[in-house]
Amino acid sequence: MSDIPEGVIERLSTYLNCLIKFEQNGIETVSSERLGESSGVNPAEIRRDFTHFGTFGKKGVGYDVDTMIKNIKRILGSDEPHKIALVGAGNLGSAIASYEGLLQHGFHVAAIFDNDPKKIGTNIRNLEVFNIKDLSQILRSANITIGIIAVPPAAAQPVADLLIEGNISVILNYTPALVRVPPGVQLHNTDPAQQLLHTLYYLSANEKGLTRRKRSSTTGPKRRKKT
Amino acid sequence: MSDIPEGVIERLSTYLNCLIKFEQNGIETVSSERLGESSGVNPAEIRRDFTHFGTFGKKGVGYDVDTMIKNIKRILGSDEPHKIALVGAGNLGSAIASYEGLLQHGFHVAAIFDNDPKKIGTNIRNLEVFNIKDLSQILRSANITIGIIAVPPAAAQPVADLLIEGNISVILNYTPALVRVPPGVQLHNTDPAQQLLHTLYYLSANEKGLTRRKRSSTTGPKRRKKT
DNA sequence: CTTTGTGAATATTTTCACAGCT
DNA sequence: AGCTGTGAAAATATTCACAAAG
């Protein structure tokens, strides 16, 4: 039965962002066309995406913004809070710990780890920095399922191994290092260089006078023009 | 003639990363099968991806790692250096300025900007922090084409507007704010929350006992199992 | 014998276009 | 009138399978 394309899931979070924007502007109802404009996705595709999970719209009217936000959150699982272990208390780690976007979506940095004795025991955003030696143990006892690696690249794999030992489900790797994980663990690499590499291709195509364009969003929904 | 699928371009940078790893390990030749193992892409697809740009392999042998790295870099355009304007000299900005991965791929932070008088004039990584008021002007005179937004969310759109005024081609937005850009500017949102949202779906699917798995890489190559 | 490059076959995703509901 | 939900069509992408090349 249910085999939902990955693209659908990715677009869902794009829709969610747009819907939240609509909500903030006091808009209570949107048509797939309106949502299409703001998300850059074809309206028919939006409607079909939704039908994978049920029928949410009112014919002749559209979708209720509030309800749809709740629906998508429930589908994705962001209607419940999720705990994050943040490894690395440097600049990047501090930035992530203070990141508003995470809280807004129910993500909660539950513990910060580092191996630097000068940092261990200090506080970042009201959270004590723990010794990385205790990572696996704390992970298990606090039932944390998401880990963010924000350490120097050389330490990425050892940290990943500790997270895995602690029974992590999702790893966000902010390091340029290639990290290996066993099946069953979701790895997401978030390397600015990698992201920029794609765009370069389209950049040089433009300079050569070819037309090539890309709308975008995080971990981008794929978009190309029809014939 | 040339309409190269976006997926191909994305996979290219994945291959590049794998090839660089091979190179570091002293491996001089790879077959599409080997590259497939390490990148998680079907060997036939890799071969077809390459044929979009020419024929690079030796039958019975495979691909020369070194040559292939050069080829992909040339195709993407990362064989030449690219200048970046970094906006925001806080924790995140500092982390990005020190990011090794950027340099490795020929990206070079050419100027840092902030609006905080306490930060303007200080140095990060040997780079003076400039007043954001001068952003557009410096952008144009230094011919900088890539901008990274690492400021508080509320400032994201105004900063984007300044970048656009400075004739930017690519914007990497590290803010959870939705940023609007005119056609002709490539926008990439890099919001950890957004990235985590996708993974949640697969997480809860697992908890429900369904099998659902995802290999990954930055701005993920799509992978699903065949019938 | 190994591995590429590619026509042909499959599979998947996107889009059209419209019946049907409000 | 206005917009959803969806069969059917079109467009894309992936994979097979094998001839040709070293």
Side-chain angles (χ1 to χ4, degrees):
Chain A
M1 206 200 90
S2 74
D3 193 7
I4 290 154
E6 198 177 311
V8 174
I9 303 303
E10 285 180 4
R11 285 191 297 271
L12 238 37
S13 59
T14 306
Y15 304 149
L16 179 57
N17 268 177
C18 295
L19 289 165
I20 288 171
K21 256 290 168 350
F22 282 127
E23 187 191 38
Q24 285 168 354
N25 292 356
I27 294 162
E28 298 185 346
T29 303
V30 281
S31 63
S32 58
E33 187 169 336
R34 195 101 130 70
L35 190 51
E37 265 164 42
S38 90
S39 63
V41 178
N42 177 300
E45 193 170 15
I46 295 177
R47 296 199 296 277
R48 191 176 295 281
D49 282 352
F50 287 165
T51 61
H52 282 110
F53 307 99
T55 96
F56 304 113
K58 262 204 189 61
K59 303 195 177 186
V61 181
Y63 301 89
D64 182 75
V65 171
D66 229 54
T67 313
M68 215 51 223
I69 289 174
K70 288 204 185 74
N71 283 330
I72 296 180
K73 284 189 174 178
R74 186 174 32 75
I75 293 165
L76 291 176
S78 72
D79 54 342
E80 327 184 336
H82 290 269
K83 292 186 194 168
I84 294 176
L86 177 58
V87 189
N91 278 326
L92 182 57
S94 301
I96 293 170
S98 316
Y99 206 89
E100 299 181 24
L102 287 175
L103 269 177
Q104 278 172 9
H105 285 287
F107 297 107
H108 175 73
V109 176
I112 305 180
F113 298 88
D114 207 298
N115 68 346
D116 180 350
K118 283 192 291 269
K119 285 180 186 147
I120 294 168
T122 65
N123 274 29
I124 293 183
R125 273 254 164 165
N126 287 338
L127 277 168
E128 186 183 343
V129 177
F130 293 110
N131 191 325
I132 193 156
K133 289 197 172 180
D134 304 321
L135 178 57
S136 302
Q137 197 198 337
I138 292 176
L139 236 58
R140 285 170 176 278
S141 60
N143 201 28
I144 295 172
T145 48
I146 300 173
I148 298 184
I149 303 180
V151 299
Q157 185 66 58
V159 165
D161 293 341
L162 286 173
L163 288 167
I164 291 159
E165 207 182 304
N167 215 15
I168 208 79
S169 299
V170 177
I171 295 178
L172 228 58
N173 172 29
Y174 271 87
T175 275
L178 275 188
V179 168
R180 285 269 167 196
V181 297
V185 174
Q186 287 183 76
L187 172 68
H188 237 275
N189 294 300
T190 302
D191 179 353
Q194 196 83 3
Q195 309 222 350
L196 285 174
L197 279 178
H198 310 161
T199 68
L200 280 187
Y201 174 76
Y202 297 96
L203 195 61
S204 49
N206 287 335
E207 278 159 10
K208 284 168 202 149
L210 305 173
T211 307
R212 211 172 274 297
R213 192 48 48 209
K214 201 187 164 186
R215 285 188 143 275
S216 81
S217 229
T218 314
T219 308
K222 308 292 153 289
R223 224 91 293 293
R224 66 206 120 297
K225 278 292 149 275
K226 242 268 310 183
T227 316
Chain B
M1 204 200 89
S2 73
D3 194 6
I4 291 153
E6 199 177 309
V8 175
I9 303 302
E10 285 179 4
R11 285 191 297 271
L12 238 38
S13 58
T14 307
Y15 304 150
L16 179 57
N17 268 176
C18 296
L19 288 165
I20 288 172
K21 256 289 166 353
F22 282 128
E23 187 191 37
Q24 286 167 356
N25 293 357
I27 295 162
E28 297 186 348
T29 303
V30 280
S31 63
S32 57
E33 186 168 336
R34 197 101 130 70
L35 190 51
E37 264 164 42
S38 90
S39 62
V41 179
N42 177 300
E45 192 171 15
I46 294 178
R47 297 199 296 276
R48 191 176 294 280
D49 282 351
F50 287 165
T51 61
H52 281 112
F53 307 99
T55 96
F56 303 113
K58 265 203 186 63
K59 301 193 178 192
V61 180
Y63 301 89
D64 182 75
V65 171
D66 229 53
T67 312
M68 216 50 222
I69 289 174
K70 288 203 185 73
N71 283 330
I72 296 180
K73 284 189 174 179
R74 187 172 33 72
I75 293 166
L76 292 176
S78 72
D79 54 344
E80 326 185 335
H82 289 270
K83 292 185 193 168
I84 295 176
L86 177 58
V87 189
N91 278 326
L92 183 56
S94 301
I96 293 171
S98 317
Y99 206 89
E100 300 181 23
L102 287 175
L103 270 177
Q104 279 171 8
H105 284 287
F107 296 107
H108 174 74
V109 176
I112 305 180
F113 299 88
D114 208 297
N115 70 346
D116 181 348
K118 283 193 290 268
K119 283 179 187 149
I120 294 168
T122 64
N123 274 29
I124 293 182
R125 272 255 166 166
N126 285 338
L127 278 168
E128 187 184 342
V129 176
F130 294 110
N131 190 324
I132 194 160
K133 289 196 172 181
D134 303 323
L135 176 58
S136 302
Q137 196 198 337
I138 291 175
L139 237 57
R140 284 169 177 278
S141 61
N143 202 28
I144 295 171
T145 49
I146 300 172
I148 299 185
I149 303 180
V151 299
Q157 186 66 58
V159 165
D161 293 341
L162 287 173
L163 289 167
I164 291 160
E165 206 182 304
N167 217 14
I168 207 82
S169 299
V170 178
I171 295 178
L172 229 58
N173 173 28
Y174 270 87
T175 275
L178 275 187
V179 168
R180 283 271 168 195
V181 298
V185 174
Q186 288 183 77
L187 172 68
H188 237 274
N189 295 301
T190 303
D191 180 352
Q194 196 83 4
Q195 309 221 350
L196 285 174
L197 278 177
H198 310 160
T199 66
L200 280 187
Y201 174 76
Y202 298 95
L203 195 60
S204 49
N206 286 336
E207 278 159 10
K208 283 168 202 149
L210 304 174
T211 305
R212 208 172 276 297
R213 191 50 48 212
K214 201 187 164 186
R215 284 189 143 275
S216 83
S217 229
T218 314
T219 308
K222 308 292 154 290
R223 224 94 292 295
R224 66 205 120 300
K225 277 293 149 275
K226 242 267 308 181
T227 317

